Amino acid sequence: MKWYEAISKIDRRIIYLFLTIFVILPFFVPFKLRQNIMPQTQQLFDFVESIPPHDKVVMISFDYTPQTMPECHPMAIALLKHCFARNIPVLGLSFDIQAPGLAVEALTTVVEELNHKASTHDDSLFYGKDYVYLGWKSGFTAAVLDMGESIAGVFPRDYFGHPVDSLPLMQKTRNYKDVAIAIVLSASAYPEYWVLYPQSRYGVKIGAGLTAVMAPKYYPFLQTGQFSGMMSGMKGAAEYEHLIVEKGYAEKLGRAETGMNSQSIVHLLIIIIIILGNIGFFFTRKDQKQS
Amino acid sequence: MSHDPWIWIGALLTLMIFSFLYKDNPFYKFAEHLFVGVANGYYIVFYWQNALMPNLFEPLGAGNLVYLVPLLLGLMYFARFIPKIGWLVRIPIGFMIGWGAGISIPAHFQAFVLRQLQGTIITPQSFSNPIEGVWAVIILIGVICTLVYFYFSKEHKGILKPVSRLGILFIMIGFGASFGYTVMARVSLLIGRIQFLLGPWLGLIE
């Protein structure tokens, strides 16, 4: 076998082995790659920065699944830290059937961490006052449209079974007029439906945290201003982590930032493999033409 | 190393699924079938507890008889299993299509057609920042050329030929960006699993 045939027929298991090694290596040989912040992440961060404290809520729709946790969960954590650090109340909800457990975990993790650091009663976060998780609802379209009239009408009870009207935060959050922005963390088409229904009818500002696969489809929504910002994939999450650390809202970077080191190395490997494959293909075709 | 049995179950199932990368084997098959079974069980119980019970059976139990209408419409879907009354299925389907079309057609036009068209319109304001202005022109050219490429009522000859060629170029750049993002997404999933194996399971990283 000629050299160019060999490089275009590398056993896929060898490629998997190299991929695994290249993913693991950065966890044990730490290095720092400069993180440039993409404009859409900065835009979302700036929007949250512009919301006055103790005023309107940030609605976070947790619609990701366990499969896409590495991308969307760090986004949720970073976003929650940002909101709580600025005393912006958070209203969580879900429409994806697999999401409620992950939403509760994200909220619990952040609230426990911040309450552990809190020195006074006022610094602490309280369920019902600073944040509420409404839980899951079936019938997405009807639900998001009805929330424009009354959130409590769609979610009479929260995830934990409390009557929604009894929670202090919900007494001042009646409908979308009391929502500064709805940020959809999703691994499926929910963000475009948020644009389609609540934004078209009620003018709700929409932000998004998407898996990288979905990101190219959603860039046009940024350009038209239908999205007020967007985090795309693990990189978007890492950028948001970077921004909240830079502003002093968090002490250390999260999981996405450490994962991005592996991501960068693996991208180099994939670029090399693509170049090798193309060289092999080019020479093989040239050989075939000559013979 | 973790002492939590759930972490061990998660880690072993992850390794079983990864074993497929070498070749198909009984461990992979076991994990795959277990996943399908657990996922189905989860969905059935979740929908029963969180959709059917609160939205249908509890109001019915409380004597709210108007809920008989959605119950009846829902049951009509099963009519297709009985050939004699199979035509009944058209009633709920017609209801859903009517409701769905009515609610989504105006919204689609507003959000996906008119707003996207607005985004391609160049105004003097587009050039308030020169770089943004250049991008606005590129977007306009990209939209026109791509639309021309998909215009099949006239043969792509004369002026249409270079314009549609340029359209292909924009489409290819789009495909390239999608591929790059897809690679990033898939690698992210692998990183997530490796973080789980090295962290909560083996305790080698924080």
Side-chain angles (χ1 to χ4, degrees):
Chain A
M1 191 188 285
K2 289 170 182 165
W3 65 270
Y4 48 83
E5 286 174 348
I7 59 168
S8 57
K9 286 178 186 164
I10 302 171
D11 191 325
R12 66 187 170 87
R13 283 168 293 198
I14 295 172
I15 295 173
Y16 292 146
L17 181 68
F18 273 101
L19 270 176
T20 311
I21 293 168
F22 276 56
V23 167
I24 293 174
L25 213 60
F27 291 111
F28 298 102
V29 189
F31 60 94
K32 187 129 184 79
L33 287 170
R34 195 176 159 269
Q35 191 71 255
N36 67 314
I37 311 293
M38 294 205 285
Q40 61 266 30
T41 314
Q42 184 73 52
Q43 200 184 334
L44 184 64
F45 179 84
D46 291 343
F47 192 98
V48 178
E49 276 291 286
S50 69
I51 302 168
H54 302 296
D55 193 37
K56 291 184 176 181
V57 299
V58 166
M59 184 180 261
I60 302 180
S61 188
F62 295 86
D63 289 316
Y64 54 93
T65 55
Q67 303 93 295
T68 50
M69 263 181 92
E71 293 184 279
C72 296
H73 205 59
M75 291 176 191
I77 303 273
L79 202 55
L80 287 170
K81 283 184 179 173
H82 188 194
C83 291
F84 289 143
R86 294 205 59 248
N87 294 314
I88 299 167
V90 171
L91 180 60
L93 71 167
S94 296
F95 293 100
D96 192 299
I97 193 167
Q98 297 180 60
L102 306 177
V104 172
E105 193 194 309
L107 282 161
T108 313
T109 307
V110 175
V111 169
E112 278 179 3
E113 186 188 320
L114 297 180
N115 279 350
H116 187 70
K117 287 178 196 161
S119 50
T120 65
H121 185 269
D122 287 345
D123 290 346
S124 305
L125 295 164
F126 295 99
Y127 186 81
K129 177 179 153 279
D130 300 299
Y131 67 101
V132 166
Y133 180 60
L134 296 171
W136 177 85
K137 194 75 188 174
S138 61
F140 173 84
T141 308
V144 289
L145 284 173
D146 284 353
M147 281 197 295
E149 304 298 326
S150 165
I151 294 172
V154 178
F155 290 92
R157 288 179 180 273
D158 70 358
Y159 180 77
F160 306 100
H162 308 117
V164 159
D165 281 333
S166 70
L167 302 168
L169 179 62
M170 297 312 294
Q171 284 162 8
K172 60 172 191 169
T173 311
R174 297 290 179 190
N175 52 38
Y176 289 134
K177 284 181 187 156
D178 306 311
V179 174
I181 185 172
I183 300 174
V184 192
L185 306 177
S186 174
S188 52
Y190 289 105
E192 70 187 66
Y193 294 128
W194 275 88
V195 169
L196 198 58
Y197 299 114
Q199 186 173 71
S200 292
R201 185 175 285 190
Y202 298 103
V204 183
K205 297 277 182 194
I206 307 288
L210 312 165
T211 58
V213 172
M214 297 162 66
K217 186 182 167 187
Y218 287 92
Y219 272 89
F221 292 100
L222 278 169
Q223 196 255 336
T224 55
Q226 288 165 291
F227 275 2
S228 302
M230 176 172 103
M231 290 182 271
S232 25
M234 188 180 262
K235 176 156 171 56
E239 288 166 0
Y240 211 93
E241 285 175 356
H242 199 81
L243 286 167
I244 59 167
V245 168
E246 212 172 64
K247 269 274 183 179
Y249 298 138
E251 283 166 10
K252 57 179 184 177
L253 296 163
R255 282 203 150 192
E257 175 72 23
T258 48
M260 277 312 289
N261 288 340
S262 301
Q263 187 81 255
S264 306
I265 298 289
V266 168
H267 281 194
L268 280 177
L269 175 71
I270 289 170
I271 289 167
I272 291 167
I273 290 167
I274 290 172
I275 291 170
L276 287 178
N278 276 283
I279 291 171
F281 174 75
F282 178 75
F283 276 96
T284 310
R285 198 174 60 170
K286 199 176 161 192
D287 213 21
Q288 281 168 353
K289 273 185 184 170
Q290 281 171 353
S291 60
Chain B
M1 197 173 258
S2 172
H3 297 291
D4 184 344
W6 292 110
I7 299 278
W8 272 86
I9 290 170
L12 292 177
L13 287 172
T14 301
L15 294 176
M16 283 179 192
I17 292 288
F18 278 169
S19 69
F20 183 78
L21 295 175
Y22 183 70
K23 64 177 185 180
D24 201 359
N25 63 75
F27 293 108
Y28 169 75
K29 283 219 155 37
F30 169 76
E32 189 189 31
H33 285 81
L34 185 70
F35 175 74
V36 173
V38 168
N40 273 318
Y42 175 79
Y43 271 65
I44 291 167
V45 172
F46 196 95
Y47 272 115
W48 179 261
Q49 285 291 337
N50 296 284
L52 288 173
M53 284 300 280
N55 296 333
L56 183 64
F57 294 123
E58 282 173 9
L60 267 178
N64 201 341
L65 294 180
V66 77
Y67 282 81
L68 282 173
V69 178
L71 175 65
L72 207 64
L73 282 171
L75 287 174
M76 281 178 187
Y77 273 107
F78 294 98
R80 66 187 312 162
F81 296 117
I82 309 163
K84 270 189 181 173
I85 54 163
W87 58 272
L88 278 174
V89 76
R90 292 178 198 163
I91 297 171
I93 289 175
F95 180 81
M96 287 308 291
I97 290 173
W99 177 83
I103 211 155
S104 66
I105 288 173
H108 267 84
F109 264 97
Q110 169 67 19
F112 296 160
V113 180
L114 299 178
R115 286 298 300 273
Q116 292 298 318
L117 270 175
Q118 272 176 8
T120 61
I121 294 170
I122 297 176
T123 60
Q125 209 183 354
S126 310
F127 294 93
S128 55
N129 176 344
I131 295 170
E132 293 292 325
V134 172
W135 282 117
V137 172
I138 290 173
I139 286 170
L140 179 65
I141 294 170
V143 170
I144 291 169
C145 294
T146 308
L147 285 174
V148 167
Y149 175 73
F150 285 107
Y151 181 72
F152 300 121
S153 301
K154 202 170 185 308
E155 202 178 339
H156 289 177
K157 273 197 224 165
I159 184 70
L160 288 186
K161 192 178 177 184
V163 174
S164 65
R165 287 261 167 184
L166 195 56
I168 296 175
L169 200 68
F170 276 101
I171 294 168
M172 288 301 160
I173 291 169
F175 286 156
S178 287
F179 176 72
Y181 265 118
T182 305
V183 168
M184 191 161 116
R186 302 301 175 235
V187 172
S188 298
L189 304 189
L190 175 63
I191 292 168
R193 282 293 85 192
I194 298 282
Q195 279 179 329
F196 168 73
L197 293 174
L198 296 179
W201 185 42
L202 295 174
L204 297 175
I205 60 170
E206 200 182 322

